[in-house]
Amino acid sequence: MSERVGPPEGGPYVDGGPDVIETDGLHKMFGRTLAVEDLSLSVGRGEIFGFLGPNGAGKTTSIKMLLALVTPTGGRGLVLGKPLGDRATRARIGFLPEHFRFHDSLTGRELLRFHGRLHRLAGLPLEARIDTLLARVDLIEAADRRLRGYSKGMLQRIGLAQALINDPELVFLDEPTSGLDPLGRLLVRDMIAELRDRGTTVFLNSHLLGEVEATCDRVAFVKQGRVVHAMALREESQCVDVELRVAPLDAATLTGLAQFGTDVTQVSADVVRLRAASEDAVPAIARWLVARHLNVYALHGRRRTLEEWFLDIMGDDQRPG
Amino acid sequence: MMAIFTFARLTLFEARRKRILFAAILCGVAFLVVFATGVFLAWRELLRRQISFVERQGLLVMFTLAGLYAANFLSVLFAVLLPVDAVSGEIDSGVMQTLASKPVRRADVVLGKWLGHWIVVAMYLMTLSGGVLLVSRSITGFVPPSVVGAISLMLLEVTLLMTVSIAGGTRFSTVTNGIASLGFYGIAFVGGWVEQIGALGGIQSARTLGVVVSLISPADSLWRLASYNLQPAFVRDLGAVVFTSASVPTPLMVWWAGGFTLVMLVVAVRSFEKRQL
């Protein structure tokens, strides 16, 4: 069982108490097929948490285990402080599945009313909530049209509205921007930001790394059914990859450069790379090199994108899913 | 409990919105028009002929039972096919994931769908069988005995088959479930005839086989008991109609079928509770 990856001390999310999600070694087999080997993570209250991995890595199955749609074959987990599958707890959770589908003979308003009733909402409060959500997802004009006439993007937006009908404390969004045009994606991004402002925890599963980078506080990478790495984005995004060309490049210089960062690697006879904690390391390195009377031909630092992190963590043994 | 009614209401709403009820009623009316025309022409012919009261009653029973047999058969198909994708279809499409993530018991989903479909199926059966009886009464003045009891047995039969169809949907794909559920009725149907032929021919082994099949799939025995009860005693004694029951199921079979239905409903709930969505 791997070490559980949780929020770091003083992380960027709003810490409002105990973790909203805590899992330890959750495991799922479908017959002889391993879907999730070890889901060990924790998600803090108010956090926007990104769950990343290639196709077939077990992301959707992980969400389904947390929602008790599938039963784990091993491990344990708590959601909102209660064991997986607790019915009362589900009243505090919202869920937008990947490829949201529903009875297409209903109108958008009827769909939200039906889901509201399953949350024991009724009467004027429910109708007011429906109107608010329809306006928020820009579907007021289509509210009384049947779902079979909705575009893919409209279906995704009404699905997002149903996930929020109960004003949940925790929302699972499985590929929420799938099928959305740029404006639709922007709307979802804004809604996630609003949820953060309200203190709602969001568990976001998305392939769109740019979206995740723009919205999430922290991400976990899942590979072959196992959480292999988690990191706070705003901390890690400060990191820069530094590359310099300097001569002479001897062992003493390489050792000295290690004070400015990690992963010091000599690429060629006069080129070296390292990873620094912030951009401030770049001028510091320049001053240090000049003080040692070394010839500096090039020096530049570049922030790593989430995509680079993703490719680095997943390694080159992955193939497109 | 509230969630059960919410799911039942959605099922009824969908049946109405998808025009399932409209199509069912339209087909039912077409069936009744054909039946009424047939009864009217036959009755006019019977009035012209010089036949005895017993012969006439025998023919009236045969006409009415033929109408009810057709109504029963159509209701059986309706009961099996209407809910065949109620659970499996929503699992396949992913709709069920959204529903099951709500603060409802999985039993509520199954029971709500069962209730909603039962109301539609019961309405269909009542419309067809009530229509047959009304047509018969209006044209010929004939009303068979034990109507309420017989229709109750037919209702139990369609309830049983509908429950089997819903239970199958919690485990199998839609197509597999449709084939299995109709096969389940087919076994009962064949078993019933084997039992009848065995009784008429004095072949005890065939009759025993039919009884065993009725225990495994008791749907058809309920129709045979209903058709037996719908015949006046003197017609039964004459053996004058094609629906003559040479081997009449015992009233215990009703309890067996009721218990069978209940067990299938429990199986449906338990199976869906364990289903990986």
Side-chain angles (χ1 to χ4, degrees):
Chain A
M1 204 169 288
S2 68
E3 188 183 343
R4 194 150 57 95
V5 285
E9 288 294 320
Y13 60 90
V14 181
D15 189 359
D19 288 335
V20 168
I21 298 172
E22 286 183 82
T23 66
D24 187 8
L26 278 184
H27 179 270
K28 181 63 186 175
M29 298 279 292
F30 290 107
R32 290 183 173 182
T33 306
L34 177 68
V36 175
E37 187 180 1
D38 177 6
L39 184 71
S40 299
L41 55 81
S42 56
V43 178
R45 186 171 292 277
E47 191 172 17
I48 309 298
F49 185 83
F51 200 51
L52 307 176
N55 289 338
K59 301 189 297 297
T60 296
T61 304
S62 297
I63 288 182
K64 286 182 175 181
M65 281 197 288
L66 296 173
L67 287 162
L69 296 175
V70 301
T71 313
T73 42
R76 62 178 191 86
L78 297 174
V79 172
L80 292 167
K82 300 286 182 184
L84 301 180
D86 180 71
R87 188 150 56 98
T89 304
R90 275 186 266 154
R92 299 154 63 196
I93 295 175
F95 174 44
L96 173 65
E98 189 179 9
H99 309 307
F100 176 73
R101 292 284 179 278
F102 205 74
H103 309 97
D104 59 9
S105 58
L106 298 182
T107 66
R109 188 183 297 281
E110 288 165 349
L111 169 82
L112 296 183
R113 194 174 289 137
F114 172 68
H115 279 276
R117 285 185 181 139
L118 293 181
H119 279 289
R120 295 174 177 266
L121 301 171
L124 287 176
L126 173 59
E127 296 305 319
R129 180 74 181 151
I130 290 170
D131 284 335
T132 303
L133 286 170
L134 284 170
R136 187 63 196 87
V137 296
D138 198 18
L139 285 174
I140 279 285
E141 288 175 12
D144 298 311
R145 275 165 47 193
R146 294 193 193 181
L147 296 182
R148 71 168 62 114
Y150 277 28
S151 68
K152 198 175 174 187
M154 290 164 83
L155 278 175
Q156 199 70 359
R157 274 145 56 202
I158 199 74
L160 189 58
Q162 72 77 29
L164 303 177
I165 190 74
N166 56 325
D167 196 10
E169 294 173 43
L170 167 63
V171 188
F172 290 90
L173 303 177
D174 196 353
E175 302 290 353
T177 51
S178 170
L180 294 182
D181 58 22
L183 288 174
R185 286 181 191 170
L186 191 63
L187 184 141
V188 171
R189 198 186 299 173
D190 288 347
M191 286 183 76
I192 292 174
E194 285 171 22
L195 290 170
R196 175 198 274 127
D197 294 342
R198 293 165 65 91
T200 306
T201 308
V202 178
F203 192 101
L204 176 66
N205 178 9
S206 176
H207 280 109
L208 299 174
L209 298 179
E211 300 281 334
V212 172
E213 201 163 17
T215 51
C216 290
D217 300 314
R218 205 159 61 85
V219 295
F221 296 88
V222 60
K223 180 181 177 182
Q224 292 164 353
R226 178 185 287 271
V227 177
V228 290
H229 186 71
M231 64 187 203
L233 278 182
R234 290 182 193 161
E235 282 181 358
E236 299 289 354
S237 65
Q238 299 299 314
C239 288
V240 287
D241 285 334
V242 180
E243 183 174 292
L244 55 130
R245 192 155 75 88
V246 63
L249 184 55
D250 52 21
T253 306
L254 288 172
T255 307
L257 284 170
Q259 66 184 294
F260 300 103
T262 57
D263 300 340
V264 179
T265 311
Q266 184 171 357
V267 179
S268 64
D270 58 352
V271 175
V272 64
R273 286 182 191 149
L274 60 94
R275 182 171 301 156
S278 76
E279 279 185 329
D280 295 341
V282 178
I285 291 171
R287 283 194 296 272
W288 184 79
L289 292 171
V290 170
R292 287 177 61 83
H293 306 293
L294 294 168
N295 297 319
V296 181
Y297 299 100
L299 170 63
H300 58 89
R302 190 174 58 83
R303 286 187 179 173
R304 302 190 93 198
T305 63
L306 188 59
E307 186 171 293
E308 287 170 317
W309 277 105
F310 183 90
L311 294 172
D312 191 29
I313 290 167
M314 290 302 145
D316 52 12
D317 57 334
Q318 297 290 308
R319 290 182 172 182
Chain B
M1 200 65 186
M2 195 69 190
I4 294 175
F5 290 120
T6 304
F7 283 112
R9 197 153 76 169
L10 177 70
T11 305
L12 291 171
F13 187 84
E14 277 221 292
R16 183 168 64 84
R17 190 60 74 77
K18 285 182 172 173
R19 300 189 179 174
I20 292 170
L21 282 182
F22 177 75
I25 289 169
L26 197 69
C27 292
V29 168
F31 159 73
L32 289 173
V33 167
V34 172
F35 177 70
T37 308
V39 169
F40 174 75
L41 294 174
W43 178 244
R44 199 171 59 175
E45 184 66 25
L46 286 176
L47 287 177
R48 279 202 214 113
R49 289 185 194 171
Q50 297 295 317
I51 55 171
S52 69
F53 171 78
V54 173
E55 273 182 299
R56 183 184 295 171
Q57 287 299 103
L59 287 167
L60 289 179
V61 169
M62 197 161 70
F63 267 115
T64 308
L65 280 183
L68 287 173
Y69 178 80
N72 184 68
F73 186 70
L74 289 173
S75 300
V76 161
L77 291 181
F78 192 67
V80 170
L81 297 178
L82 181 69
V84 76
D85 72 338
V87 179
S88 59
E90 293 189 358
I91 291 173
D92 292 343
S93 68
V95 167
M96 200 57 86
Q97 293 172 13
T98 320
L99 299 182
S101 68
K102 296 290 185 287
V104 295
R105 297 175 307 158
R106 290 206 183 177
D108 294 340
V109 180
V110 174
L111 294 175
K113 286 182 174 292
W114 184 91
L115 180 61
H117 283 100
W118 184 80
I119 291 169
V120 177
V121 168
M123 279 170 57
Y124 186 73
L125 174 70
M126 294 297 177
T127 305
L128 289 195
S129 54
V132 166
L133 292 169
L134 195 66
V135 163
S136 190
R137 167 81 176 76
S138 307
I139 296 173
T140 69
F142 174 73
V143 178
S146 309
V147 164
V148 174
I151 290 184
S152 300
L153 288 169
M154 290 159 69
L155 185 58
L156 179 56
E157 180 189 11
V158 294
T159 304
L160 186 152
L161 290 166
M162 186 198 81
T163 309
V164 167
S165 182
I166 287 179
T170 63
R171 185 57 53 189
F172 306 121
S173 71
T174 301
V175 175
T176 309
N177 184 33
I179 292 168
S181 298
L182 282 175
F184 179 79
Y185 175 68
I187 290 170
F189 187 79
V190 171
W193 281 108
V194 168
E195 185 181 339
Q196 292 296 309
I197 293 165
L200 284 169
I203 309 164
Q204 189 54 38
S205 56
R207 191 175 177 186
T208 305
L209 176 66
V211 172
V212 170
V213 170
S214 294
L215 290 172
I216 296 167
S217 179
D220 191 63
S221 60
L222 294 169
W223 160 250
R224 281 189 286 123
L225 189 56
S227 68
Y228 177 81
N229 290 336
L230 285 166
Q231 296 169 40
F234 73 94
V235 175
R236 286 200 299 247
D237 293 341
L238 285 172
V241 296
V242 293
F243 298 99
T244 296
S245 289
S247 177
V248 183
T250 67
L252 275 177
M253 185 56 87
V254 179
W255 288 101
W256 176 259
F260 193 96
T261 305
L262 202 61
V263 168
M264 288 311 295
L265 190 57
V266 172
V267 166
V269 169
R270 291 275 179 268
S271 167
F272 187 58
E273 282 173 342
K274 290 178 183 168
R275 180 73 192 253
Q276 305 294 293
L277 300 175

